[in-house]
Amino acid sequence: MTVDAFSPSRMEPIALETDEPTPKTRKRPRSKEPIAAATDAPAAATDAPAAATDAPAAASRKRSPSLAALLSFLWPGLGQLYLGKRRQTAIFAVPSVLVIVLLAYALRRGPVVFAVELFAERTFGLAAVAILVLFGAWRLLSVIHAFLGANRGSARKVVDRAVLLALAAVIVVTHLGGGYYLLAISDAGTEVFDSSALDATNRLIFAQATPTQSPSPDPSAHHGTPAPDWTPVPTATPASDGRVTILLTGASSGSNANLDDTIMVVSYNPTTNSIQMVSVPRDSASFPFYWGGVDPADDRINALATYVQDGEISSPDSPYWTLVKEVQYLLGIQIDYYGHMYFSGFEAMVNKLGGIDVYNPDEIYDPTYDWTDGSAEGFFLSAGPHHLDGRDALAYVRSRHGGGSDWKRSSRQQEVLIDLLHKMSSPSQILKLPSLVKLLGASIVTNFPPDQLADYVSMALNVPSENITQVVLGPPYTITGTSTTNSANCLLNDKVAELSIQLFGTDSIWYGLPAPADTCPSKS
């Protein structure tokens, strides 16, 4: 039996190119991505902690030593904060905050009062110097620590080292310079308040007043006729909340050192926050002595200390304290302290301040003015506003011929004193304070208690101008022409006593007492 080739039983499937493969023989391509993802997942998970661990190290390697040092230069601890070292940040920052708090407290009353504290209180001044130097050392340590903590390896770079050296130099120079600045102010105060620094002559002149009533002077001494009876009150420390009065005097240096051309009483009343300024004309004569007797008509008050020193007038007290007690007696107000300044220091101080601005009410034409530097005689100044250097300012407060009179000169002295106080308290003068204070230290003698000076300067700076009363004892408190040999004047004691009660109230020695008798000679 013949089998047909196309018989179904003999037929086998023939795969054609266009035919789909059977399920058994069909091979599908297998994607490798899921496998790779699955395979790589554990590795990625394994590497994640390592990446997290390396992040700070990588960040630390990128921290700039120069920037870290600069930040700690600006404020101790900032560089450590930049490096992420919080604990070290607190260690360096907290002491710095305490220093700033101390500085803010010291400056609470202004830079001028702060300078006065440095000037007057030695312990305060030395403590301020120590704190400034130690704070500089602390800043320097913070800068170096931040620089080294950033990356020790990069510390060898020239630029980074140059930055570190520059910052360190700035810290050393500013803090040592500031320490010298503060120490100069403190040393100047030592010169003023240390009586042992006076030479032998000045120690005699400024010797303290006798604590008790002095014995009566020799009747044969040159002191005229008896004055009205009055027992002077010994100088005592004023109450902490009471009136404080100081006598300010000014004199030339050298042979005329004891001729007080400026005699001014300044009294501060804390109850009314007011200041009373009274100037005694230097040509005053024929005044009653506080220990008894009357000054001769030819002996002017500006030379009283000289007369006592030379023995021409016999006083129970030292030369300068004789003047202090005499002014106290004449004005009827207890004088607690004194301040004596030499004119050479005044001229230098005005120059250091850059001059002063004044308003001259009357033309000054003084062809006989004797300059202290040996220049040709003569001082001339027109009426109106002027900017004066130290030389002309000294002539402005000393000249008394052709510009009115002795009392007009006294009025100018009061004006200049107020101008100087305002200018010294100006913020623009802060950098000049050490040299200014040094000038004051070399030209001022005072017995004012140093631990109270800053408090009273602070109070004086807060007294409004309308609470300042300025008086010069010219007419009607003075009569002129009482001497045939010089231009001496004489104070009218009853009018001065009346003024004393008006200015000082119950603090006046003459309050409730009869006015002293007239001691002026009749005009010839």
Side-chain angles (χ1 to χ4, degrees):
M1 181 175 171
T2 304
V3 180
D4 192 345
F6 295 97
S7 174
S9 61
R10 301 283 300 212
M11 294 179 63
E12 293 181 1
I14 299 174
L16 300 178
E17 292 180 3
T18 57
D19 291 343
E20 292 289 332
T22 61
K24 291 183 179 179
T25 59
R26 189 178 192 178
K27 294 182 179 180
R28 297 185 180 184
R30 298 168 65 181
S31 175
K32 296 182 179 180
E33 293 179 4
I35 297 175
T39 305
D40 294 342
T46 304
D47 293 343
T53 304
D54 294 342
S60 177
R61 286 195 296 270
K62 295 180 181 179
R63 297 299 186 187
S64 167
S66 299
L67 181 57
L70 177 62
L71 289 173
S72 281
F73 170 82
L74 297 176
W75 185 267
L78 279 182
Q80 286 73 15
L81 182 63
Y82 166 70
L83 298 176
K85 301 176 181 179
R86 297 178 181 273
R87 183 178 179 183
Q88 294 171 358
T89 297
I91 291 175
F92 282 104
V94 170
S96 305
V97 172
L98 294 178
V99 171
I100 297 302
V101 170
L102 287 175
L103 178 61
Y105 179 77
L107 291 172
R108 69 194 184 281
R109 296 184 291 182
V112 172
V113 178
F114 176 68
V116 171
E117 287 185 291
L118 294 172
F119 172 75
E121 301 180 43
R122 184 63 170 175
T123 303
F124 181 89
L126 294 179
V129 172
I131 291 173
L132 182 62
V133 173
L134 290 175
F135 183 50
W138 190 249
R139 289 183 65 198
L140 184 61
L141 179 62
S142 176
V143 167
I144 295 174
H145 181 273
F147 181 86
L148 297 177
N151 189 341
R152 295 178 183 272
S154 64
R156 298 174 182 174
K157 293 182 179 179
V158 176
V159 174
D160 286 337
R161 284 187 171 184
V163 171
L164 177 63
L165 289 175
L167 295 177
V170 171
I171 291 174
V172 171
V173 170
T174 54
H175 283 263
L176 289 182
Y180 174 78
Y181 177 101
L182 300 181
L183 189 60
I185 298 178
S186 181
D187 287 343
T190 301
E191 294 181 28
V192 172
F193 296 103
D194 184 8
S195 59
S196 63
L198 297 175
D199 56 32
T201 301
N202 279 329
R203 275 198 297 272
L204 173 63
I205 295 172
F206 294 100
Q208 291 295 317
T210 52
T212 58
Q213 176 64 38
S214 302
S216 300
D218 182 355
S220 63
H222 183 183
H223 54 77
T225 59
D229 292 335
W230 183 78
T231 302
V233 179
T235 301
T237 302
S240 58
D241 57 347
R243 178 185 293 275
V244 175
T245 304
I246 182 170
L247 173 66
L248 301 177
T249 56
S252 302
S253 57
S255 59
N256 294 325
N258 295 337
L259 297 179
D260 298 290
D261 288 336
T262 298
I263 303 174
M264 184 189 309
V265 169
V266 179
S267 185
Y268 172 70
N269 186 352
T271 304
T272 58
N273 190 33
S274 62
I275 291 176
Q276 294 76 40
M277 303 174 67
V278 183
S279 291
V280 179
R282 53 158 275 171
D283 291 335
S284 299
S286 303
F287 46 83
F289 288 131
Y290 64 89
W291 68 87
V294 176
D295 174 65
D298 296 336
D299 292 353
R300 295 178 295 186
I301 196 170
N302 73 316
L304 180 59
T306 301
Y307 295 141
V308 173
Q309 184 179 7
D310 294 344
E312 183 178 348
I313 291 180
S314 179
S315 166
D317 295 296
S318 64
Y320 189 79
W321 268 100
T322 298
L323 176 63
V324 173
K325 286 189 173 183
E326 186 61 35
V327 175
Q328 171 180 277
Y329 174 70
L330 295 176
L331 297 188
I333 184 65
Q334 177 174 310
I335 294 176
D336 306 299
Y337 309 110
Y338 68 81
H340 181 78
M341 183 175 189
Y342 295 104
F343 284 143
S344 57
F346 170 85
E347 180 176 348
M349 183 173 64
V350 173
N351 284 332
K352 184 64 66 175
L353 287 168
I356 57 172
D357 297 310
V358 301
Y359 184 86
N360 183 29
D362 301 294
E363 179 185 28
I364 298 176
Y365 181 83
D366 188 355
T368 62
Y369 179 78
D370 184 14
W371 295 94
T372 58
D373 58 5
S375 300
E377 291 184 347
F379 174 63
F380 311 97
L381 191 68
S382 63
H386 292 277
H387 182 80
L388 305 178
D389 61 10
R391 183 174 182 269
D392 288 337
L394 180 57
Y396 183 70
V397 299
R398 292 188 67 220
S399 176
R400 62 193 180 96
H401 298 293
S405 58
D406 189 24
W407 36 86
K408 284 193 175 182
R409 176 181 63 175
S410 297
S411 181
R412 295 196 298 268
Q413 292 171 353
Q414 293 181 357
E415 174 197 7
V416 168
L417 179 63
I418 295 174
D419 288 344
L420 283 175
L421 181 62
H422 289 163
K423 190 150 191 178
M424 289 184 67
S425 62
S426 170
S428 62
Q429 303 297 330
I430 292 176
L431 295 179
K432 298 178 182 178
L433 283 177
S435 54
L436 283 170
V437 171
K438 203 164 188 178
L439 284 172
L440 289 173
S443 56
I444 287 182
V445 180
T446 184
N447 70 333
F448 201 97
D451 59 338
Q452 297 180 29
L453 185 59
D455 293 334
Y456 283 107
V457 169
S458 176
M459 289 185 285
L461 291 174
N462 291 316
V463 174
S465 56
E466 59 269 20
N467 284 9
I468 300 177
T469 303
Q470 299 173 246
V471 178
V472 176
L473 296 182
Y477 309 105
T478 296
I479 59 174
T480 61
T482 56
S483 172
T484 58
T485 58
N486 59 25
S487 56
N489 307 313
C490 183
L491 295 174
L492 297 173
N493 299 325
D494 56 340
K495 292 187 178 297
V496 174
E498 183 180 348
L499 175 66
S500 174
I501 297 172
Q502 177 184 340
L503 292 176
F504 310 122
T506 56
D507 293 329
S508 172
I509 294 172
W510 302 115
Y511 184 83
L513 296 177
D518 179 23
T519 55
C520 293
S522 59
K523 287 188 178 183
S524 54

